[in-house]
Amino acid sequence: MDASGDMEQTELVVPRAGSRIHARLAGPAGGPLVVLSHGASMDHEMFDEQLGPLVGAGYRVLTWDIRGHGRSQPIGRIPIDVADMAEDLLAILDHLDAPGPICVGGQSLGGYVAQELVYREPERVAALFVIGSTCITMPIALWEQWALRSSPWWFVPWPWQHLKRTVATSTALRPEVRTYAEVAIGTMSKSNFVQIWRGVARSMRPEAGYQIDLPLLLTHGDQDRTGNIARTAPAWAARDPYCRYEVIPDASHNANQDNPEHFNRVLLEFLAEHYPAERA
Protein backbone atom coordinates (compact mmCIF):
# COMPACT_ATOMS: atom_id res chain seq x y z
CA MET A 1 0.00 0.00 0.00
CA ASP A 2 2.91 2.38 0.58
CA ALA A 3 2.82 4.73 -2.41
CA SER A 4 4.92 7.28 -0.51
CA GLY A 5 7.98 5.27 -1.53
CA ASP A 6 11.26 6.68 -0.26
CA MET A 7 9.86 10.16 0.32
CA GLU A 8 11.80 11.93 3.04
CA GLN A 9 9.72 12.51 6.15
CA THR A 10 10.64 14.11 9.45
CA GLU A 11 9.25 12.44 12.54
CA LEU A 12 8.37 14.35 15.68
CA VAL A 13 7.07 13.24 19.06
CA VAL A 14 4.95 15.44 21.33
CA PRO A 15 4.24 14.27 24.92
CA ARG A 16 0.56 14.69 25.74
CA ALA A 17 -1.67 13.49 28.59
CA GLY A 18 0.41 10.44 29.42
CA SER A 19 1.04 9.51 25.79
CA ARG A 20 3.67 10.27 23.17
CA ILE A 21 2.01 11.57 20.02
CA HIS A 22 3.91 10.62 16.86
CA ALA A 23 3.63 12.81 13.76
CA ARG A 24 5.41 13.06 10.40
CA LEU A 25 6.15 15.97 8.11
CA ALA A 26 6.83 15.74 4.39
CA GLY A 27 7.28 18.36 1.69
CA PRO A 28 8.92 21.77 1.38
CA ALA A 29 9.43 23.67 4.61
CA GLY A 30 7.88 26.80 3.13
CA GLY A 31 4.84 25.05 1.64
CA PRO A 32 1.32 25.68 2.91
CA LEU A 33 0.50 23.10 5.58
CA VAL A 34 -2.08 20.35 4.95
CA VAL A 35 -2.95 18.28 8.03
CA LEU A 36 -4.37 14.77 7.63
CA SER A 37 -6.09 12.88 10.48
CA HIS A 38 -6.91 9.19 10.08
CA GLY A 39 -9.98 7.15 10.94
CA ALA A 40 -10.64 5.06 14.04
CA SER A 41 -8.37 1.98 14.18
CA MET A 42 -6.25 3.23 11.25
CA ASP A 43 -2.98 5.19 11.40
CA HIS A 44 -1.02 7.82 9.47
CA GLU A 45 -0.23 5.36 6.67
CA MET A 46 -3.79 5.53 5.37
CA PHE A 47 -2.73 8.75 3.59
CA ASP A 48 0.36 7.30 1.90
CA GLU A 49 -1.24 7.66 -1.53
CA GLN A 50 -1.98 11.33 -0.92
CA LEU A 51 1.55 12.29 0.13
CA GLY A 52 3.19 12.20 -3.29
CA PRO A 53 0.55 14.27 -5.12
CA LEU A 54 0.33 16.84 -2.30
CA VAL A 55 4.08 17.25 -1.91
CA GLY A 56 4.46 17.33 -5.69
CA ALA A 57 2.00 20.21 -5.80
CA GLY A 58 4.10 22.19 -3.31
CA TYR A 59 2.36 21.43 -0.02
CA ARG A 60 3.89 20.55 3.32
CA VAL A 61 1.96 17.59 4.75
CA LEU A 62 1.48 16.59 8.38
CA THR A 63 0.22 13.10 9.22
CA TRP A 64 -0.03 11.74 12.74
CA ASP A 65 -1.19 8.81 14.85
CA ILE A 66 -4.10 9.72 17.11
CA ARG A 67 -3.58 8.62 20.71
CA GLY A 68 -4.02 4.86 21.11
CA HIS A 69 -3.29 4.25 17.40
CA GLY A 70 -0.09 3.31 15.60
CA ARG A 71 2.98 4.59 17.42
CA SER A 72 1.11 7.04 19.69
CA GLN A 73 1.25 4.80 22.75
CA PRO A 74 0.21 4.35 25.45
CA ILE A 75 -3.27 5.80 25.05
CA GLY A 76 -2.63 7.95 28.12
CA ARG A 77 -5.35 9.72 30.07
CA ILE A 78 -8.81 8.23 29.70
CA PRO A 79 -11.61 8.74 29.00
CA ILE A 80 -10.59 10.30 25.71
CA ASP A 81 -12.94 12.05 23.32
CA VAL A 82 -12.77 13.96 20.05
CA ALA A 83 -12.16 17.24 21.88
CA ASP A 84 -9.05 15.70 23.49
CA MET A 85 -7.85 14.53 20.08
CA ALA A 86 -8.31 18.02 18.64
CA GLU A 87 -6.31 19.44 21.56
CA ASP A 88 -3.56 16.91 20.83
CA LEU A 89 -3.47 18.11 17.23
CA LEU A 90 -3.34 21.74 18.33
CA ALA A 91 -0.41 20.82 20.60
CA ILE A 92 1.42 19.38 17.58
CA LEU A 93 0.74 22.56 15.58
CA ASP A 94 1.95 24.70 18.49
CA HIS A 95 5.06 22.52 18.78
CA LEU A 96 5.74 23.20 15.10
CA ASP A 97 4.95 26.89 15.54
CA ALA A 98 3.00 26.33 12.32
CA PRO A 99 2.03 29.57 10.61
CA GLY A 100 -1.65 29.71 9.81
CA PRO A 101 -4.18 29.48 8.61
CA ILE A 102 -3.81 25.85 7.54
CA CYS A 103 -5.84 23.29 5.61
CA VAL A 104 -7.11 20.51 7.86
CA GLY A 105 -8.74 17.28 6.75
CA GLY A 106 -9.56 13.82 7.94
CA GLN A 107 -11.28 10.52 7.32
CA SER A 108 -14.13 9.26 9.54
CA LEU A 109 -12.89 9.89 13.12
CA GLY A 110 -10.24 12.18 11.64
CA GLY A 111 -13.04 14.16 10.01
CA TYR A 112 -14.58 14.65 13.45
CA VAL A 113 -11.23 15.86 14.78
CA ALA A 114 -10.93 18.31 11.87
CA GLN A 115 -14.45 19.64 12.48
CA GLU A 116 -13.77 20.01 16.19
CA LEU A 117 -10.61 22.00 15.47
CA VAL A 118 -12.56 24.30 13.14
CA TYR A 119 -15.29 24.70 15.77
CA ARG A 120 -12.79 25.62 18.46
CA GLU A 121 -10.31 27.76 16.52
CA PRO A 122 -11.73 28.68 13.10
CA GLU A 123 -9.19 31.48 12.70
CA ARG A 124 -6.43 28.87 12.42
CA VAL A 125 -8.04 27.15 9.41
CA ALA A 126 -8.24 28.31 5.79
CA ALA A 127 -9.99 25.24 4.36
CA LEU A 128 -11.42 21.91 5.51
CA PHE A 129 -11.96 18.57 3.82
CA VAL A 130 -13.75 15.50 5.11
CA ILE A 131 -13.76 11.88 3.93
CA GLY A 132 -16.53 9.57 5.14
CA SER A 133 -17.68 11.50 8.22
CA THR A 134 -20.97 12.81 9.49
CA CYS A 135 -21.42 16.39 10.66
CA ILE A 136 -20.85 16.76 14.40
CA THR A 137 -22.89 19.96 14.70
CA MET A 138 -26.10 19.04 12.82
CA PRO A 139 -29.06 17.75 14.87
CA ILE A 140 -29.77 14.03 14.53
CA ALA A 141 -32.84 11.96 15.33
CA LEU A 142 -33.29 10.69 18.89
CA TRP A 143 -32.99 7.07 17.78
CA GLU A 144 -29.71 7.88 16.02
CA GLN A 145 -28.43 9.59 19.16
CA TRP A 146 -29.30 6.47 21.15
CA ALA A 147 -27.67 4.16 18.60
CA LEU A 148 -24.46 6.17 18.64
CA ARG A 149 -24.32 6.48 22.42
CA SER A 150 -24.91 2.77 22.94
CA SER A 151 -22.59 1.56 20.17
CA PRO A 152 -19.46 1.09 22.35
CA TRP A 153 -21.31 -1.54 24.37
CA TRP A 154 -21.87 -3.61 21.23
CA PHE A 155 -18.12 -4.07 20.89
CA VAL A 156 -17.44 -5.27 24.43
CA PRO A 157 -18.66 -8.89 23.99
CA TRP A 158 -17.58 -9.10 20.32
CA PRO A 159 -14.62 -11.51 19.88
CA TRP A 160 -11.61 -9.34 19.04
CA GLN A 161 -10.31 -11.38 16.10
CA HIS A 162 -13.71 -11.39 14.41
CA LEU A 163 -14.24 -7.70 15.13
CA LYS A 164 -10.90 -6.82 13.52
CA ARG A 165 -11.77 -8.78 10.37
CA THR A 166 -15.22 -7.19 10.25
CA VAL A 167 -13.80 -3.68 10.49
CA ALA A 168 -11.28 -4.43 7.74
CA THR A 169 -13.81 -5.91 5.30
CA SER A 170 -16.43 -3.21 5.88
CA THR A 171 -14.03 -0.31 5.46
CA ALA A 172 -12.76 -0.86 1.91
CA LEU A 173 -13.29 -2.56 -1.45
CA ARG A 174 -9.69 -3.12 -2.56
CA PRO A 175 -8.11 -6.25 -1.04
CA GLU A 176 -4.86 -4.44 -0.32
CA VAL A 177 -6.72 -1.72 1.60
CA ARG A 178 -8.54 -4.34 3.63
CA THR A 179 -5.19 -5.94 4.41
CA TYR A 180 -3.81 -2.58 5.52
CA ALA A 181 -6.87 -1.97 7.72
CA GLU A 182 -6.56 -5.35 9.41
CA VAL A 183 -2.85 -4.78 10.08
CA ALA A 184 -3.53 -1.28 11.44
CA ILE A 185 -6.27 -2.36 13.83
CA GLY A 186 -4.06 -5.28 14.85
CA THR A 187 -1.62 -2.83 16.44
CA MET A 188 -4.36 -1.71 18.86
CA SER A 189 -5.60 -3.42 21.98
CA LYS A 190 -9.31 -4.10 22.21
CA SER A 191 -9.53 -1.91 25.31
CA ASN A 192 -8.02 1.01 23.38
CA PHE A 193 -10.43 0.40 20.51
CA VAL A 194 -13.41 0.53 22.88
CA GLN A 195 -12.08 3.67 24.59
CA ILE A 196 -11.66 5.39 21.21
CA TRP A 197 -15.15 4.37 20.16
CA ARG A 198 -16.59 5.75 23.40
CA GLY A 199 -14.99 9.04 22.40
CA VAL A 200 -16.62 8.81 18.97
CA ALA A 201 -19.99 8.18 20.65
CA ARG A 202 -19.59 11.43 22.61
CA SER A 203 -18.46 13.50 19.64
CA MET A 204 -21.75 15.04 18.53
CA ARG A 205 -22.40 18.67 19.52
CA PRO A 206 -25.63 19.67 17.71
CA GLU A 207 -25.97 23.43 17.48
CA ALA A 208 -28.87 25.12 15.73
CA GLY A 209 -27.76 27.94 13.46
CA TYR A 210 -24.11 26.89 13.33
CA GLN A 211 -22.44 26.56 9.96
CA ILE A 212 -18.90 26.19 8.68
CA ASP A 213 -18.03 29.50 7.01
CA LEU A 214 -14.91 28.12 5.33
CA PRO A 215 -14.28 26.33 2.05
CA LEU A 216 -15.29 22.72 2.71
CA LEU A 217 -14.75 19.65 0.56
CA LEU A 218 -17.19 16.95 1.67
CA THR A 219 -16.60 13.47 0.25
CA HIS A 220 -17.58 9.86 0.76
CA GLY A 221 -17.38 6.67 -1.27
CA ASP A 222 -20.31 5.72 -3.47
CA GLN A 223 -20.41 2.36 -1.65
CA ASP A 224 -19.88 3.67 1.87
CA ARG A 225 -22.57 1.97 4.01
CA THR A 226 -21.14 3.16 7.33
CA GLY A 227 -23.83 4.60 9.59
CA ASN A 228 -25.77 7.50 8.07
CA ILE A 229 -22.84 9.13 6.26
CA ALA A 230 -24.18 8.91 2.71
CA ARG A 231 -27.76 9.64 3.73
CA THR A 232 -26.98 12.83 5.66
CA ALA A 233 -24.22 14.25 3.45
CA PRO A 234 -26.56 16.13 1.04
CA ALA A 235 -28.19 18.01 3.95
CA TRP A 236 -24.78 18.90 5.33
CA ALA A 237 -23.64 20.13 1.93
CA ALA A 238 -26.77 22.27 1.65
CA ARG A 239 -26.24 23.80 5.11
CA ASP A 240 -22.70 25.11 4.65
CA PRO A 241 -22.40 27.93 2.09
CA TYR A 242 -18.90 27.16 0.77
CA CYS A 243 -19.24 23.39 0.52
CA ARG A 244 -18.22 21.30 -2.49
CA TYR A 245 -19.80 17.83 -2.27
CA GLU A 246 -18.22 14.94 -4.18
CA VAL A 247 -19.12 11.25 -4.16
CA ILE A 248 -16.01 9.17 -4.92
CA PRO A 249 -16.82 6.33 -7.36
CA ASP A 250 -15.76 2.73 -6.81
CA ALA A 251 -15.01 3.40 -3.15
CA SER A 252 -16.22 2.43 0.30
CA HIS A 253 -15.50 4.03 3.69
CA ASN A 254 -11.77 4.56 3.11
CA ALA A 255 -12.50 6.34 -0.16
CA ASN A 256 -9.09 8.01 -0.39
CA GLN A 257 -7.50 4.54 -0.42
CA ASP A 258 -10.08 2.69 -2.52
CA ASN A 259 -9.90 5.22 -5.36
CA PRO A 260 -6.87 7.44 -4.72
CA GLU A 261 -6.61 8.68 -8.31
CA HIS A 262 -10.11 10.17 -8.30
CA PHE A 263 -9.89 11.43 -4.73
CA ASN A 264 -6.50 13.07 -5.27
CA ARG A 265 -7.72 14.88 -8.38
CA VAL A 266 -10.74 16.27 -6.52
CA LEU A 267 -8.63 17.29 -3.51
CA LEU A 268 -5.98 19.04 -5.60
CA GLU A 269 -8.67 20.92 -7.55
CA PHE A 270 -10.22 22.06 -4.27
CA LEU A 271 -6.86 23.13 -2.84
CA ALA A 272 -5.87 24.97 -6.03
CA GLU A 273 -9.04 27.03 -5.75
CA HIS A 274 -9.16 27.68 -2.01
CA TYR A 275 -5.66 27.03 -0.61
CA PRO A 276 -3.15 27.35 -3.46
CA ALA A 277 0.46 26.36 -2.93
CA GLU A 278 1.53 29.64 -4.54
CA ARG A 279 0.23 31.45 -1.44
CA ALA A 280 3.56 30.62 0.25
Side-chain angles (χ1 to χ4, degrees):
M1 281 299 299
D2 188 355
S4 61
D6 297 324
M7 180 180 301
E8 183 176 351
Q9 299 184 61
T10 302
E11 186 165 4
L12 57 143
V13 180
V14 179
R16 279 283 300 168
S19 183
R20 290 171 57 81
I21 311 299
H22 283 251
R24 290 172 178 258
L25 274 170
L33 186 63
V34 176
V35 178
L36 303 171
S37 300
H38 61 79
S41 79
M42 306 296 143
D43 63 16
H44 71 278
E45 291 184 3
M46 82 167 301
F47 297 110
D48 278 353
E49 294 190 77
Q50 281 67 63
L51 284 183
L54 286 169
V55 170
Y59 293 96
R60 194 181 194 201
V61 184
L62 173 71
T63 57
W64 64 302
D65 292 341
I66 293 170
R67 259 198 282 158
H69 299 76
R71 299 188 64 187
S72 294
Q73 304 292 344
I75 195 170
R77 185 179 61 226
I78 54 175
I80 180 174
D81 58 25
V82 169
D84 297 317
M85 299 171 199
E87 289 175 2
D88 290 345
L89 179 52
L90 286 168
I92 296 171
L93 295 173
D94 290 342
H95 176 82
L96 290 172
D97 194 22
I102 64 171
C103 177
V104 63
Q107 189 270 342
S108 196
L109 169 62
Y112 291 172
V113 174
Q115 292 177 68
E116 181 70 24
L117 191 150
V118 169
Y119 184 89
R120 286 168 170 257
E121 301 201 26
E123 70 283 354
R124 297 185 71 158
V125 181
L128 164 70
F129 65 92
V130 169
I131 311 159
S133 292
T134 51
C135 182
I136 66 172
T137 51
M138 288 183 67
I140 60 175
L142 288 176
W143 71 268
E144 290 178 318
Q145 294 181 39
W146 175 85
L148 182 61
R149 289 280 184 171
S150 64
S151 60
W153 296 106
W154 310 344
F155 297 124
V156 173
W158 199 331
W160 183 223
Q161 293 301 321
H162 186 263
L163 176 56
K164 288 189 289 186
R165 288 193 299 272
T166 301
V167 169
T169 56
S170 64
T171 205
L173 302 180
R174 292 170 62 195
E176 56 267 47
V177 181
R178 290 181 174 184
T179 298
Y180 155 77
E182 189 162 3
V183 170
I185 193 173
T187 66
M188 302 182 73
S189 67
K190 185 178 181 182
S191 61
N192 279 6
F193 179 85
V194 173
Q195 288 292 345
I196 293 295
W197 201 259
R198 284 175 177 153
V200 171
R202 295 190 297 268
S203 61
M204 299 297 107
R205 48 159 79 247
E207 184 170 325
Y210 176 81
Q211 63 183 28
I212 297 172
D213 291 318
L214 295 168
L216 163 63
L217 174 61
L218 175 61
T219 71
H220 64 77
D222 65 343
Q223 298 180 56
D224 191 343
R225 306 288 185 261
T226 308
N228 61 357
I229 290 168
R231 180 170 59 81
T232 59
W236 182 5
R239 185 199 71 171
D240 290 340
Y242 308 110
C243 179
R244 173 178 174 178
Y245 174 37
E246 293 278 350
V247 178
I248 307 301
D250 304 315
S252 184
H253 191 49
N254 289 22
N256 62 299
Q257 293 181 290
D258 264 341
N259 194 343
E261 294 82 7
H262 190 99
F263 175 79
N264 292 346
R265 178 178 59 79
V266 170
L267 176 59
L268 289 172
E269 288 175 357
F270 172 78
L271 292 175
E273 181 177 0
H274 299 292
Y275 190 68
E278 297 76 28
R279 73 200 302 268

